[in-house]
Amino acid sequence: MLFNSLTYALFLPIVVALYWASPIKLRVPILLIASYIFYMSWRPAFILLIIGLTTVNYFFGFKIHKSEKNKKPWLFAAVATNLLTLSFFKYAYFLNDVLVSALKPIGMAPPAMPFDIILPLGISFFVFEFIHYVVDVYRGSEPIKSFLAFSLFASFFPTQIAGPIKRFQDFIPQFLSPAKFSIKDLDSGVSLILLGLFKKVLLADNLAFFVQGGFQHPELFNSLDLWIFTYAFAFQIYFDFSGYTDIARGSAMLFGYKVPINFNLPYLAKNIAEFWHRWHISLSTWLRDYLFIPLGGSRGSRWNVYRNLMITMSLGGLWHGASMHFLIWGVFHGAMLGLHRIFKEGRTWLADRGHGWLSAAIDSKVGTVLSMLFTFHVVCIGWVLFRADTLTIAGDMLRKLFFIDSIAGNAPALAMALPAINYPLIYPAIFLLLPVLALSHIIMGYVDKTKWVESSPRLVKAAWCCALMLMILVFSPDKSPKFIYFQF
Amino acid sequence: MAKDVRAKAILSSYVLLGLVMLLVLDLGFRLADNAFHITNPLDSPNRSLIWWTVNGFANEHTAPDIALLGSSLMMTAHHAGDATKLNKVQSEVSHFHSACLQDFLSEKTGQKPTTFSFAIAGQMASDSYLIARSLLVGPKQPKVIIYGIAPRDLIDNTLPSAASTETFKYLSRIGDLSDVALSARTSFNELFQFGLEKVIYTLSRRPNLLAWQHKIAYTLAPYGQNAITKNELCAPFELRKIAYSEMPDDSGSNELKIAPYGSEFEPFRDNTAEYRQRYAHIKQKTYKSQLSYLEKLMKLAKERGIQLVVVNMPLTPGNVALMPAGFYSEFKNKVGAMAAANDAAFLDLNKPNAFEQKHFADTVHLNGLGGVAFFRLLSSELALNHSVSTALTTTH
């Protein structure tokens, strides 16, 4: 059941109505049943997986909490169970491929996979929530007593498939002291859902079609064209994922629950570290708390910190998908974070010796804009590795993006193929659309940040909702692809 | 008291107010459109084959004597046949008169009829019925309809419902199809969407609004002018391929050209695997529903006094052999009996030895040589048919 489907448009109001019409005691069970129905609408059998993992982690939570001396083995067992489950479903083919390529040169090959493995939807997200739970219980948090509440924490349908990755300390209290019905929450929830749908079906889906052409056939295009495709993907993935998050948060709000934000104007980040504080916030904070810090974090020698960054980001890359290009995307971000750290240290070193000019230049208005542009382009290069179907395509694109083909004399540097293409409409329209999207990133962020909609007069808010509804009704494409993060 | 508070709270909802605004705007649009005809039902954001055909027919000043209906089987025979006969490249989106049929009939009868082809790739029996019902009426009513058919035009196993074709969607905006609107839709989603369009007028005019959006965008876009002025679509083949699989049917005036037979090397395309798949999973529900539309077409023609000729289109013996045992003869018997019951003629042109392998581009479509042969044979049969001759000689 996709958020942008008619089925969800019918399912959600029914569950909301049932929830608020029921006595308080029945509300959590109703939400749990709805969440299981939501999950089963894809492949009913996988409900056993989510129930199984819920039961096992609930048990581990108590074992870890109760064990005075043997906490660590229980924690190890809990984390291993979750990671092995994730690895089996997500990485079995990848590991098999790696093994094949490693053994082939010496004339050996592992047997072919005896069965097909289907990746259960949302597994990467709920497994990370379980790991967070057992680790935090190990660190001293009280385990969740109610099995019902724990089950709902893991399966809550608005965040079930692609997050945001929740923290039980924030979420469980909301179950235990349920919110009262409020028109304000209902209004905020619906307007967030409308905004999310607008981002997904009107912006991301239209851009998806454009991006597909460039990333499938980079051979047709020159350097400047490919930069436009890359910018378009940067906006597509942002609108797709932040649109999904808005719908998830809005849906949760309809039941009176607050779910953490996941994005905060990521393309306005002034450096790569700041980007990761603004992009997929629930994942980056998870990686920080449950991978980077346990590895040693920023403590220890400089090389240890670089190593920790590299391990964290590489595994973060692999979390997105069992594929080399995701791993390299993670390595790229690890390297960029390392370089940023070196640059930051250099800046401090210079400032300590009375050369504050570099800091002053960077902190100036022009410096800030240039930093943002530079960071955006670094992120875009990463997106090429992320989006390209194969490393060969990524390599071809990057070679052209850096004008290497032009320098080698194989392609004219400034010639563009895009202007000659007038169909589909998104091709000629992209030249108008991209500047508007860049601006909209700032405007939408401003709208979110200042809570402009909520603080506006009622009539303005109503007009805003009316405009969103109208645009979604009229301009949605006939086919809407799945959310990008559903595959992870 | 509590009820009052709750009602007040609900009325304070800005989402609800937004919804009311939407309904008011929608009502305003409905009233304005009814009064001032703001939207043109022929407008479409995409240049589908039915769009080209309907617009081409709108430019005709008189009714044709003969209207051709059918799927790509008839369409390729018409275009490839004419391209070969006239020795000139033909455009599938703007060539509507059948030179072959006009000239061969003229040779046989001494009278040259006017023709117009509505044959479109993927046309199902339901589409043919809707074309006849919506377009072949009043001053534009032809004397004869020739409908080329084969089992595949009744059993498309990828067709979700009769209402899901581009032809149905487009024609439902031109005429009132309310009597078939529900039966043509099979899934809950389709019925829900249909109901929503009935309630929200703006939604039913979505193609018009999208057409306006396209016009504005193409006007503003620096490189889109040809797409408006000449209806030319310029995109590399690889991108067109993606568009074909992901977007609604759209063809430019510079696309879909058919060259005369022999001017280009055209090897026989063996599409046996595709048809093995098509015939392996015949959906009886679709088959029955499409047969009922065929019957409706026959009754409609009879009611309007149009002579309908149903033509069983040539197929390669290899293609016929792929059908389940007995299916083809049962199909012919059913269609023949239906035609007889409704005063329509049934011509079986899939005669042994009438067409050879060299006449086919693949196992079902005729090439230029086959197109010429097909219209020559059809003309001979039509000339011998008393009902057709009578219909063609009567005045409107």
Side-chain angles (χ1 to χ4, degrees):
Chain A
M1 200 187 300
L2 297 176
F3 279 174
N4 48 337
S5 68
L6 180 63
T7 326
Y8 189 71
L10 295 172
F11 171 82
L12 184 65
I14 292 171
V15 181
V16 171
L18 267 176
Y19 179 85
W20 290 111
S22 307
I24 290 176
K25 272 188 177 176
L26 288 180
R27 288 181 185 169
V28 169
I30 283 173
L31 264 187
L32 184 63
I33 292 166
S35 297
Y36 285 162
I37 291 172
F38 182 86
Y39 200 70
M40 282 161 54
S41 68
W42 173 62
R43 271 178 195 267
F46 279 126
I47 194 66
L48 297 173
L49 175 78
I50 203 165
I51 291 175
L53 276 180
T54 303
T55 313
V56 167
N57 281 289
Y58 181 74
F59 164 79
F60 277 132
F62 277 102
K63 274 289 172 196
I64 293 165
H65 181 67
K66 280 181 185 166
S67 310
E68 289 290 316
K69 289 175 186 169
N70 295 322
K71 278 183 175 200
K72 246 189 188 160
W74 282 113
L75 174 70
F76 179 79
V79 173
T81 305
N82 286 300
L83 287 181
L84 282 173
T85 310
L86 181 64
S87 306
F88 172 75
F89 284 107
K90 199 163 178 173
Y91 302 108
Y93 283 117
F94 179 67
L95 292 174
N96 191 58
D97 287 350
V98 170
L99 218 59
V100 167
S101 36
L103 295 177
K104 222 175 183 177
I106 53 166
M108 287 170 69
M113 293 287 267
F115 41 77
D116 285 337
I117 299 171
I118 298 159
L119 183 68
L121 274 179
I123 189 168
S124 311
F125 291 89
F126 58 72
V127 159
F128 268 31
E129 287 183 345
F130 285 134
I131 293 175
H132 134 73
Y133 172 72
V134 290
V135 171
D136 278 17
V137 170
Y138 172 80
R139 286 172 180 169
S141 290
E142 278 290 312
I144 302 167
K145 288 194 177 64
S146 158
F147 182 69
L148 212 60
F150 184 68
S151 303
L152 186 55
F153 163 66
S155 64
F156 186 54
F157 75 83
T159 61
Q160 190 182 73
I161 309 299
I165 301 166
K166 305 182 295 294
R167 300 293 173 107
F168 79 95
Q169 295 91 337
D170 304 325
F171 204 63
I172 294 297
Q174 299 186 59
F175 290 143
L176 301 178
S177 53
K180 282 184 182 161
F181 177 79
S182 134
I183 283 290
K184 208 179 147 201
D185 276 353
L186 214 64
D187 275 353
S188 304
V190 173
S191 48
L192 250 183
I193 292 173
L194 289 174
L195 183 65
L197 281 173
F198 174 81
K199 287 180 182 176
K200 164 67 182 159
V201 294
L202 263 83
L203 301 178
D205 288 352
N206 281 309
L207 285 170
F209 190 80
F210 174 76
V211 167
Q212 192 184 3
F215 277 79
Q216 273 184 15
H217 297 286
E219 74 282 359
L220 297 174
F221 300 101
N222 296 321
S223 304
L224 293 180
D225 298 314
L226 290 181
W227 272 110
I228 290 176
F229 282 108
T230 308
Y231 295 149
F233 179 66
F235 285 110
Q236 183 208 335
I237 192 166
Y238 170 70
F239 287 122
D240 190 283
F241 198 17
S242 75
Y244 164 83
T245 308
D246 288 343
I247 302 173
R249 289 179 59 226
S251 302
M253 230 176 243
L254 298 183
F255 303 99
Y257 294 111
K258 303 278 184 286
V259 169
I261 61 159
N262 238 358
F263 296 92
N264 177 22
L265 296 172
Y267 295 144
L268 296 186
K270 292 187 283 296
N271 56 61
I272 198 74
E274 194 187 334
F275 172 79
W276 280 105
H277 285 118
R278 291 166 171 263
W279 178 270
H280 203 173
I281 298 166
S282 67
L283 175 71
S284 52
T285 50
W286 191 99
L287 290 172
R288 180 198 65 200
D289 294 345
Y290 303 103
L291 196 55
F292 182 66
I293 291 174
L295 282 169
S298 302
R299 286 161 301 173
S301 72
R302 185 179 292 163
W303 291 110
N304 281 349
V305 177
Y306 297 150
R307 180 203 65 194
N308 298 342
L309 277 174
M310 193 55 89
I311 292 173
T312 305
M313 294 315 289
S314 307
L315 290 176
L318 262 188
W319 173 88
H320 283 82
S323 181
M324 251 335 157
H325 66 107
F326 285 124
L327 176 66
I328 292 177
W329 174 74
V331 169
F332 170 78
H333 272 281
M336 289 302 114
L337 284 167
L339 281 175
H340 167 68
R341 223 177 163 84
I342 294 171
F343 179 75
K344 213 170 93 180
E345 284 167 3
R347 197 177 142 176
T348 315
W349 185 83
L350 275 175
D352 289 347
R353 278 149 190 80
H355 303 291
W357 54 270
L358 184 62
S359 291
I362 289 170
D363 293 337
S364 70
K365 276 185 183 165
V366 176
T368 303
V369 172
L370 289 176
S371 302
M372 283 177 185
L373 280 173
F374 180 74
T375 308
F376 176 66
H377 282 82
V378 168
V379 171
C380 280
I381 291 161
W383 287 140
V384 173
L385 296 164
F386 188 96
R387 172 60 179 82
D389 292 334
T390 62
L391 275 178
T392 318
I393 292 181
D396 288 347
M397 285 196 70
L398 289 172
R399 218 177 44 240
K400 282 191 173 177
L401 286 176
F402 287 109
F403 297 93
I404 292 169
D405 277 11
S406 305
I407 293 163
N410 296 335
L414 299 175
M416 286 180 81
L418 271 176
I421 301 171
N422 74 4
Y423 180 80
L425 176 63
I426 185 73
Y427 277 83
I430 200 76
F431 294 98
L432 303 167
L433 196 62
L434 275 182
V436 173
L437 291 181
L439 209 65
S440 79
H441 185 65
I442 301 166
I443 294 169
M444 278 191 169
Y446 175 81
V447 167
D448 274 355
K449 206 171 186 175
T450 57
K451 301 202 180 305
W452 179 81
V453 175
E454 275 114 77
S455 58
S456 302
R458 189 168 159 248
L459 211 61
V460 174
K461 286 190 269 192
W464 166 253
C465 285
C466 173
L468 285 176
M469 283 188 261
L470 203 61
M471 283 190 284
I472 292 163
L473 277 177
V474 175
F475 298 118
S476 302
D478 292 334
K479 283 185 202 167
S480 182
K482 273 195 292 190
F483 288 93
I484 294 175
Y485 267 70
F486 271 30
Q487 62 186 301
F488 308 139
Chain B
M1 187 67 184
K3 266 188 183 172
D4 280 357
V5 173
R6 205 177 299 161
K8 243 185 186 173
I10 289 170
L11 286 176
S12 70
S13 161
Y14 64 82
V15 170
L16 201 67
L17 185 62
L19 196 64
V20 172
M21 277 180 175
L22 180 77
L23 294 176
V24 169
L25 275 176
D26 186 65
L27 182 68
F29 183 36
R30 186 191 293 261
L31 294 174
D33 200 20
N34 286 342
F36 308 111
H37 304 291
I38 301 168
T39 60
N40 175 0
L42 294 179
D43 262 0
S44 174
N46 50 312
R47 303 147 191 83
S48 59
L49 287 174
I50 185 70
W51 178 86
W52 280 104
T53 310
V54 170
N55 281 274
F57 192 56
N59 291 331
E60 296 280 309
H61 300 297
T62 53
D65 293 320
I66 301 174
L68 292 173
L69 291 175
S71 62
S72 57
L73 303 187
M74 179 64 94
M75 185 177 145
T76 50
H78 160 53
H79 293 294
D82 272 13
T84 304
K85 185 174 186 303
L86 303 170
N87 197 23
K88 193 181 163 193
V89 172
Q90 297 297 333
S91 162
E92 287 187 3
V93 299
S94 57
H95 175 67
F96 302 113
H97 301 142
S98 171
C100 281
L101 186 60
Q102 290 175 183
D103 290 355
F104 296 149
L105 260 180
S106 165
E107 282 169 22
K108 300 279 174 196
T109 62
Q111 278 185 319
K112 193 171 183 174
T114 55
T115 56
F116 192 92
S117 173
F118 293 90
I120 288 172
Q123 191 176 110
M124 300 294 286
S126 49
D127 297 328
S128 307
Y129 164 67
L130 291 178
I131 289 172
R133 178 178 153 158
S134 315
L135 305 172
L136 305 180
V137 65
K140 288 283 186 88
Q141 180 175 308
K143 294 169 185 169
V144 175
I145 292 176
I146 295 171
Y147 180 28
I149 197 170
R152 45 155 259 171
D153 302 329
L154 303 169
I155 59 164
D156 187 346
N157 52 20
T158 58
L159 187 79
S161 72
S164 62
T165 65
E166 182 62 23
T167 300
F168 192 103
K169 287 178 195 166
Y170 188 66
L171 293 179
S172 60
R173 298 192 335 245
I174 295 175
D176 176 25
L177 305 181
S178 44
D179 59 322
V180 289
L182 291 180
S183 60
R185 289 168 171 83
T186 49
S187 72
F188 173 75
N189 272 14
E190 282 181 317
L191 287 166
F192 186 82
Q193 179 77 16
F194 176 67
L196 213 59
E197 281 177 17
K198 287 276 153 207
V199 178
I200 304 173
Y201 185 75
T202 311
L203 207 55
S204 68
R205 290 293 174 269
R206 190 172 166 256
N208 295 90
L209 298 170
L210 286 175
W212 291 349
Q213 180 211 26
H214 282 216
K215 269 181 199 158
I216 293 168
Y218 272 129
T219 311
L220 292 175
Y223 303 104
Q225 289 308 314
N226 271 0
I228 315 177
T229 52
K230 297 183 189 167
N231 277 317
E232 282 182 1
L233 304 183
C234 306
F237 175 68
E238 290 82 350
L239 301 183
R240 285 300 277 133
K241 248 174 84 178
I242 298 174
Y244 269 122
S245 62
E246 305 249 332
M247 302 190 73
D249 176 18
D250 220 336
S251 305
S253 59
N254 53 334
E255 300 181 315
L256 301 181
K257 306 273 188 186
I258 289 201
Y261 179 78
S263 61
E264 288 169 9
F265 174 64
E266 288 174 89
F268 179 82
R269 195 173 69 87
D270 186 6
N271 54 354
T272 302
E274 179 199 334
Y275 277 86
R276 186 173 289 126
Q277 188 70 17
R278 282 196 191 211
Y279 298 144
H281 309 284
I282 293 171
K283 277 201 267 178
Q284 285 302 323
K285 206 175 158 190
T286 307
Y287 183 45
K288 275 185 191 158
S289 151
Q290 289 299 320
L291 273 173
S292 76
Y293 280 106
L294 178 61
E295 194 169 19
K296 278 181 184 165
L297 172 66
M298 291 176 179
K299 288 190 192 307
L300 180 91
K302 189 179 172 185
E303 199 182 289
R304 290 186 182 167
I306 305 171
Q307 178 59 50
L308 176 68
V309 182
V310 180
V311 178
N312 185 38
M313 295 296 287
L315 303 172
T316 58
N319 187 275
V320 174
L322 295 173
M323 293 179 205
F327 181 77
Y328 192 52
S329 51
E330 187 209 310
F331 155 79
K332 285 195 288 186
N333 291 341
K334 256 187 191 160
V335 177
M338 205 185 270
N342 291 286
D343 298 341
F346 178 63
L347 300 180
D348 184 0
L349 295 197
N350 197 19
K351 293 177 176 176
N353 306 323
F355 295 92
E356 300 166 35
Q357 182 87 355
K358 67 175 182 185
H359 290 120
F360 286 92
D362 57 36
T363 67
V364 291
H365 297 100
L366 293 166
N367 56 23
L369 209 58
V372 173
F374 169 76
F375 280 105
R376 203 179 283 283
L377 181 62
L378 176 65
S379 303
S380 304
E381 297 274 347
L382 291 176
L384 295 173
N385 189 299
H386 177 68
S387 313
V388 174
S389 308
T390 314
L392 284 174
T393 48
T394 53
T395 48
H396 276 296

